[in-house]
Amino acid sequence: MQPHTQNWTHVTEFVMAGFAGAHEARFLFFTLFLTMYLFTLMENLAIILVVGLDHRLWRPMYFFLTHMSCLEIGYTSVTVPKMLAGFIGVDGGKSISYTGCLSQLFIFTFLGATECFLLAAMAYDRYVAICMPLRYGVLVSWGTCIRLAGACWLVGFLTPILPIYFLSQLTFCGPNVVDHFFCDVSPLLALSCSDVTLKETTDFLVSLMVLLVSSAVISVSYGNIIWTLLHIRSAAERRKAFSTCAAHLTVVSLFYGTLFFMYVRTKVASSINFNKVVSVFYSIVTPMLNPLIYSLRNKEVKGALSRAFSLKSWKGQ
């Protein structure tokens, strides 16, 4: 048996199969996903711009919302442009280098983990606002917000380091066709010539830790919020208090529902095509819907958007 003295990576690049079965409708899919991508960029950039310019929105909830928008711009930009290039047959659009593939997976995992922790921080913000309103200014100060946001980004960045390291130690000796539209874990493991047991176990434990820690914070926060709301006698006050959480709770349900399905697994996915559909949902559809959910259910955001983009505002300037 030949000693393993170096990383045996015979494959120097991967080819993305993408949606191979939809070849005849590729221009339709290209138009659809391009429209969704541009719409996602426009929505999230609008939120960042409006919160930054309107001092009435300089509050912790909107501070976290701008971080969420930054995450989702990166989340979609790391996968969608490459997928679009593959649809229209741009030179090299379907191929990605070995290093580029690992880098794409690292960034995608980093941003996804950061979003989990950021959603937990936003749940804590809502918990303090509803359950301890008199201490809100002390417990959720600007210093606390900055530290919470910084911790989310830092822990998110650290999350994929060990999984990507173990992935880099696997041998890929061919074939090199990734049956997905980006470098996701399951289709990559299906191509490896090595024993992937350690890698699968590491992925499962890291994913479980991220999801359980963040979802535990969210669950405890909303458990306390519900308990507090049940003790509010006025139905109108209960509705008003819950309305401030409805958008965040909807986003959490969409995001965690797909992530629990996709990543808390110990084996390589058996239904790749179904996983592609779910991946499209959480990597493209959800980032497009989230700004709509936050803005359509929030009178302050709608008011700020109206003021920022109204003709009178431009004339006044």
Side-chain angles (χ1 to χ4, degrees):
M1 182 175 178
Q2 192 173 353
H4 189 161
T5 58
Q6 61 181 353
N7 182 18
W8 285 10
T9 304
H10 298 171
V11 171
T12 59
E13 71 173 17
F14 294 102
V15 177
M16 299 295 173
F19 298 90
H23 181 73
E24 294 182 357
R26 64 187 185 280
F27 291 111
L28 176 63
F29 277 93
F30 172 81
T31 303
L32 175 63
F33 289 130
L34 176 62
T35 302
M36 294 170 68
Y37 176 58
L38 293 177
F39 196 50
T40 301
L41 293 181
M42 180 183 67
E43 291 174 312
N44 285 289
L45 287 172
I47 286 179
I48 294 170
L49 184 64
V50 166
V51 173
L53 294 177
D54 196 325
H55 64 88
R56 281 166 285 198
L57 298 182
W58 291 356
R59 301 206 302 275
M61 181 170 66
Y62 301 110
F63 170 78
F64 290 124
L65 186 56
T66 58
H67 281 265
M68 181 71 71
S69 292
C70 291
L71 276 172
E72 291 183 337
I73 289 172
Y75 205 59
T76 54
S77 296
V78 76
T79 57
V80 177
K82 187 71 175 176
M83 178 183 68
L84 293 175
F87 273 127
I88 59 175
V90 173
D91 186 29
K94 286 185 174 292
S95 62
I96 185 170
S97 68
Y98 173 80
T99 303
C101 187
L102 295 191
S103 299
Q104 185 188 57
L105 181 57
F106 182 95
I107 296 170
F108 189 80
T109 307
F110 155 46
L111 295 176
T114 303
E115 186 159 352
C116 287
F117 293 118
L118 191 62
L119 287 170
M122 295 171 77
Y124 170 75
D125 170 68
R126 291 299 84 207
Y127 156 69
V128 177
I130 292 173
C131 301
M132 295 180 283
L134 298 179
R135 300 184 61 193
Y136 182 78
V138 176
L139 295 177
V140 192
S141 63
W142 280 112
T144 301
C145 291
I146 292 171
R147 286 191 292 272
L148 278 174
C152 292
W153 285 94
L154 177 60
V155 177
F157 180 79
L158 296 176
T159 296
I161 289 179
L162 191 60
I164 295 299
Y165 170 75
F166 281 123
L167 181 62
S168 70
Q169 300 306 300
L170 298 179
T171 302
F172 294 94
C173 50
N176 68 336
V177 178
V178 179
D179 194 6
H180 214 301
F181 60 88
F182 71 97
C183 289
D184 202 5
V185 175
S186 294
L188 284 175
L189 294 184
L191 298 178
S192 177
C193 307
S194 308
D195 180 4
V196 299
T197 303
L198 178 61
K199 166 62 179 167
E200 285 183 331
T201 304
T202 303
D203 285 348
F204 174 77
L205 293 176
V206 171
S207 300
L208 192 64
M209 180 188 67
V210 170
L211 292 174
L212 287 183
V213 169
S214 57
S215 60
V217 173
I218 294 170
S219 299
V220 170
S221 297
Y222 275 103
N224 283 282
I225 288 172
I226 293 171
W227 179 258
T228 300
L229 293 179
L230 290 175
H231 288 77
I232 297 177
R233 294 183 179 180
S234 171
E237 289 183 7
R238 280 201 302 269
R239 284 194 299 270
K240 182 179 178 181
F242 185 75
S243 67
T244 65
C245 306
H248 178 260
L249 201 54
T250 304
V251 169
V252 166
S253 300
L254 289 172
F255 187 74
Y256 278 85
T258 51
L259 283 188
F260 268 111
F261 173 80
M262 285 297 295
Y263 288 112
V264 183
R265 296 170 300 167
T266 56
K267 298 297 180 182
V268 175
S270 58
S271 178
I272 297 296
N273 288 329
F274 186 63
N275 287 341
K276 289 179 188 178
V277 175
V278 178
S279 297
V280 166
F281 189 79
Y282 73 74
S283 63
I284 303 174
V285 177
T286 301
M288 181 188 69
L289 292 178
N290 287 350
L292 289 176
I293 293 169
Y294 276 112
S295 60
L296 289 178
R297 297 191 60 90
N298 191 304
K299 292 181 180 179
E300 290 179 315
V301 174
K302 287 191 290 185
L305 286 168
S306 178
R307 288 190 297 271
F309 295 103
S310 67
L311 185 59
K312 290 182 179 179
S313 296
W314 290 108
K315 287 183 178 179
Q317 294 176 2

